[in-house]
Amino acid sequence: MGFVTYEQEGFVGLITINRPKALNALNSEVLKDLEAVIDAVDLDNTRALILTGAGEKSFVAGADIGEMSTLTKAEGEAFGKIGNDVFRKIETLPIPVIAAVNGFALGGGCEIAMSCDIRLCADNAIFGQPEVGLGITPGFGGTQRLARIVGVGKAKEMIYTAFNIKADEAYRIGLVNAVYTQEELLPAAKKMAAKIASNAPIAVRACKKAINDGLDATMDDAIVIEEKLFGSCFESEDQKNGMSAFLNKQKIKDLGGFQNK
């Protein structure tokens, strides 16, 4: 795809938004390419994904303001839906997605990072939702995901004031899981993805679904979701081999690893 590249390393896929001259800003074409790449991921042979941006300056600087500047009300709503549909697709993928945030993650960049399961960032990362300074609201899920991740009060402060935060503050408020140097970021993301991929894929997928589906449910309903997904892991080869290895004091990798069945 023109603006999005994909690489496969074992069970880990690497998606790179590749529009560095525009700081990887999201326009309709980039979003279309991103959706096509996501749809093409071989979920039978991929256990984790990493999402990053090309270059050292920017993860995703935001949505393309040049494209947005002339939109009508109807076109603005439609553009928001395009972004939301793609980001929701990332969020609901059955496998975990790690955002490796290198540089600017503003507006749509912050929003796409928040659609990932885990966010790691470089020490030069800058996060923010600057939309009210442009006369609009966040349009790709920012008003919803930011409040769920960092809390309502902090989310309202960031969105209403349109101020940006640096990597250390993003870590302090829980927006990112860890901060690395620029050189360490991608290797750290790959190491985490490999660790995820080494665990039972059926169980990891069930965990993601349990967490995501339970977030908007009452506790009584959420624990039923967990019970059913817990039960779904049993009688799988992964469960049998994992527990057998534990009981026999063996390493699962010595038995050929988990097989996703």
Side-chain angles (χ1 to χ4, degrees):
M1 295 299 163
F3 289 122
V4 182
T5 65
Y6 184 81
E7 302 170 59
Q8 187 84 22
E9 298 180 9
F11 289 118
V12 176
L14 174 63
I15 298 173
T16 303
I17 298 174
N18 188 23
R19 196 187 177 204
K21 290 183 179 179
L23 299 179
N24 302 319
L26 302 172
N27 60 17
S28 298
E29 190 172 352
V30 175
L31 290 169
K32 180 180 178 181
D33 288 353
L34 180 59
E35 183 171 31
V37 167
I38 292 168
D39 287 343
V41 172
D42 180 359
L43 293 174
D44 291 330
N45 294 295
T46 307
R47 299 181 181 180
L49 288 174
I50 298 168
L51 176 65
T52 195
E56 298 179 353
K57 293 182 179 180
S58 183
F59 170 66
V60 171
D64 192 313
I65 297 172
E67 180 176 355
M68 291 192 295
S69 64
T70 59
L71 298 181
T72 65
K73 289 182 180 180
E75 290 168 342
E77 185 175 343
F79 184 58
K81 179 171 173 50
I82 291 170
N84 275 321
D85 286 351
V86 177
F87 292 8
R88 185 65 175 153
K89 188 167 285 190
I90 294 171
E91 188 170 45
T92 58
L93 274 173
I95 58 177
V97 184
I98 300 169
V101 180
N102 49 315
F104 293 116
L106 304 175
C110 188
E111 290 167 313
I112 194 172
M114 291 190 293
S115 72
C116 299
D117 296 277
I118 296 167
R119 286 158 295 284
L120 309 179
C121 77
D123 51 16
N124 71 326
I126 302 290
F127 296 85
Q129 298 291 161
E131 287 87 352
V132 296
L134 299 171
I136 58 175
T137 71
F140 294 164
T143 60
Q144 304 307 307
R145 293 190 181 95
L146 188 58
R148 286 166 166 79
I149 293 170
V150 305
V152 174
K154 178 56 71 173
K156 287 181 175 180
E157 180 186 352
M158 288 180 64
I159 292 170
Y160 295 171
T161 64
F163 74 89
N164 298 334
I165 60 173
K166 295 181 179 180
D168 56 350
E169 177 68 1
Y171 176 72
R172 189 188 71 81
I173 66 175
L175 183 56
V176 300
N177 296 68
V179 181
Y180 299 93
T181 66
Q182 293 179 60
E183 295 75 20
E184 294 171 332
L185 176 62
L186 197 55
K190 289 182 177 180
K191 182 177 180 180
M192 180 179 286
K195 176 60 179 174
I196 292 170
S198 72
N199 290 316
I202 291 173
V204 171
R205 292 182 184 210
C207 288
K208 176 168 180 173
K209 184 170 177 56
I211 294 169
N212 283 357
D213 290 0
L215 282 172
D216 295 322
T218 65
M219 182 57 73
D220 286 338
D221 290 338
I223 58 176
V224 173
I225 292 170
E226 182 180 277
E227 287 166 4
K228 292 185 180 300
L229 288 162
F230 174 66
S232 73
C233 295
F234 287 83
E235 299 186 30
S236 69
E237 292 298 318
D238 282 356
Q239 175 260 326
K240 292 176 183 176
N241 290 342
M243 292 190 176
S244 176
F246 177 84
L247 293 172
N248 293 308
K249 298 182 179 179
Q250 296 173 288
K251 292 183 179 180
I252 189 67
K253 65 180 182 180
D254 294 334
L255 299 178
F258 292 108
Q259 302 299 315
N260 195 26
K261 61 181 180 179

